[in-house]
Amino acid sequence: MQLKTLQKLELPAAADMHVHLRQGEMMDVVVPTLEQGGVDTAFVMPNLVPPLTTVDQVIEYQGKLRAIAPNVHFLMSLYLHPSVTPETIEKAAQAGVVGVKLYPQGATTNSEHGVANIEAFYDTFAAMEKHDLVLNLHGEVLEALAPEGTTLEEAFLPTLKQLHERFPNLRIVLEHCTTAAAVEAVKACGSNVGATITAHHLYLTEADACCDPFAFCKPIPKKPTDRDALLKAAVSGNPKFFFGSDSAPHPITSKTSSAQGKAPAGVFTQPYVTQLVLLGLEEGVERGIISEEDLTQEKLEGFLSKFGRRFYKLPETSGNSLLLERKGEKIAPSVKSESGSVEVGVSRAGAEVFSLTWVRKA
Ligand code: NCD
Ligand code: ZN
């Protein structure tokens, strides 16, 4: 399809398989933006303060999210920590928790309690394999451990391979993959290894992320050729690659008042997440990286909705759909709480995007 000139399209409601919804007032502001951006199924990250390391904490958090957005299906995760034992995994499986997120200690926002030695968790991974829980990887090594000339993500890829070889039946997601090498590494693994691709990594590169705090996130956007590899993977029709926005809100003041290079990592895309994926693809066509023929209804539906649901063993459709129409709408600069005390800047503010209307199943 010719997205650039298309006036109207209909898509199934998006499944966003990597979201940060935070807590407190920030949560109250951010959770409603899921549906604003066309999402009715979301895999929720556990990097709260304190991190969600017990099943009871996860279930309590899920209750709070459901109270704010009763029409969204929240898939929940635990934060991998020494207290997450094989017994915890059994309890998590019974409670319907679907994944466990591994943050290398110190790699990103709220990862202080993360993993220092992956091998110490092999018993936990074996239990996850047995109970069919997904292992969600923040696939980066610490800066001190990356060899010269290699990105933090590329240096992590041998670990992905080792984990897959050691636990061949464990479902693994390499979250927010950002490099051509990661795309290839995921393809080389079996069908139970997939990867999420964000909206923002389809349009940002290191040149944006270095200098604009609203484009700064982990993993850092990479070279144009890496971005282009992600665009190709997103429209490849390969079900290993599905959408996970990694939309990560931070107070606007923390982004604007921090010294250059010190702003917290995270790009906020949630209120326009479906439209931002379409914008990234549209720009990919304009640059000649992907073609109009790549943008079929089937491939868009696969990437934005079906493949993620399939990986997480959900029905392939929720029955809800989205009507997207060109009406000259522009991305608002920020979203705010009623009192104005919480405000979050949105990625690509001012860009013209499709307007979104829900078509809910009867
Ligand atoms: C995320 C956050 O702010 O929680 N930040 C980010 O840049 N993506 C954490 C993460 O997913 O790395
Ligand atoms: Zn994230």
Side-chain angles (χ1 to χ4, degrees):
M1 61 180 79
Q2 203 175 355
L3 255 188
K4 179 94 190 141
T5 54
L6 196 67
Q7 292 305 308
K8 201 189 218 183
L9 84 152
E10 196 166 327
L11 288 172
D16 186 343
M17 295 310 190
H18 185 133
V19 301
H20 294 273
L21 301 176
R22 311 302 194 204
Q23 51 212 126
E25 246 192 302
M26 181 63 98
M27 169 179 79
D28 295 334
V29 171
V30 170
V31 174
T33 67
L34 282 164
E35 286 170 281
Q36 228 178 302
V39 169
D40 75 355
T41 300
F43 182 77
V44 183
M45 289 297 141
N47 61 332
L48 304 188
V49 183
L52 301 179
T53 56
T54 72
V55 174
D56 292 344
Q57 282 174 305
V58 173
I59 298 306
E60 190 195 339
Y61 184 46
Q62 186 181 39
K64 289 183 183 165
L65 301 174
R66 282 178 173 161
I68 303 172
N71 294 323
V72 176
H73 184 48
F74 292 102
L75 301 167
M76 304 305 292
S77 65
L78 268 166
Y79 185 109
L80 189 60
H81 176 265
S83 64
V84 176
T85 61
E87 292 72 45
T88 317
I89 296 303
E90 190 178 347
K91 186 174 170 192
Q94 282 162 4
V97 174
V98 300
V100 180
K101 180 73 187 283
L102 184 161
Y103 289 101
Q105 200 170 74
T108 186
T109 305
N110 300 340
S111 64
E112 298 77 11
H113 302 282
V115 168
N117 171 17
I118 292 185
E119 290 179 20
F121 291 90
Y122 278 6
D123 288 350
T124 300
F125 298 153
M128 288 168 60
E129 191 175 36
K130 178 172 161 210
H131 293 284
D132 201 22
L133 260 72
V134 174
L135 175 62
N136 305 92
L137 297 174
H138 183 107
E140 290 192 296
V141 303
L142 301 187
E143 245 153 277
L145 302 178
E148 248 325 275
T150 314
T151 66
L152 306 183
E153 183 175 86
E154 285 162 317
F156 184 87
L157 297 175
T159 305
L160 170 68
K161 188 162 183 262
Q162 275 158 26
L163 286 169
H164 179 47
E165 280 168 1
R166 176 119 192 176
F167 304 98
N169 297 315
L170 178 62
R171 282 183 292 148
I172 302 178
V173 181
L174 183 68
E175 296 293 340
H176 40 51
C177 70
T178 58
T179 55
V183 168
E184 291 311 312
V186 168
K187 280 191 204 159
C189 295
S191 63
N192 53 333
V193 176
T196 47
I197 296 179
T198 73
H200 54 279
H201 289 107
L202 298 177
Y203 55 79
L204 295 175
T205 64
E206 57 193 349
D208 306 299
C210 77
C211 312
D212 171 6
F214 295 100
F216 173 63
C217 58
K218 299 285 184 73
I220 196 99
K222 309 288 192 305
K223 297 187 186 62
T225 47
D226 291 305
R227 174 200 56 198
D228 296 346
L230 302 177
L231 283 163
K232 287 179 185 157
V235 296
S236 64
N238 184 338
K240 281 172 164 284
F241 299 99
F242 51 88
F243 177 52
S245 70
D246 192 21
S247 174
H250 290 277
I252 199 162
T253 47
S254 69
K255 284 287 199 180
T256 52
S257 67
S258 303
Q260 169 88 358
K262 293 276 183 249
V267 169
F268 183 56
T269 50
Q270 207 75 69
Y272 301 91
V273 95
T274 299
Q275 296 99 312
L276 282 168
V277 169
L278 296 175
L279 182 62
L281 296 175
E282 189 182 309
E283 291 174 351
V285 172
E286 278 184 337
R287 284 196 307 275
I289 304 306
I290 53 175
S291 72
E292 284 167 6
E293 289 73 51
D294 291 322
L295 299 183
T296 63
Q297 181 75 25
E298 192 185 346
K299 284 179 177 173
L300 292 181
E301 291 188 2
F303 177 68
L304 279 163
S305 187
K306 291 197 178 147
F307 297 158
R309 295 178 201 271
R310 187 186 300 171
F311 191 91
Y312 281 96
K313 303 191 173 178
L314 302 174
E316 286 203 5
T317 165
S318 63
N320 298 317
S321 44
L322 311 171
L323 182 60
L324 294 139
E325 295 170 286
R326 300 254 184 217
K327 293 181 174 174
E329 183 173 341
K330 295 203 169 112
I331 293 186
S334 68
V335 297
K336 283 185 222 188
S337 59
E338 248 168 64
S339 70
S341 64
V342 173
E343 181 176 7
V344 186
V346 186
S347 180
R348 299 294 299 264
E352 199 168 312
V353 287
F354 283 99
S355 296
L356 183 153
T357 319
W358 281 85
V359 185
R360 302 227 180 236
K361 70 176 169 205

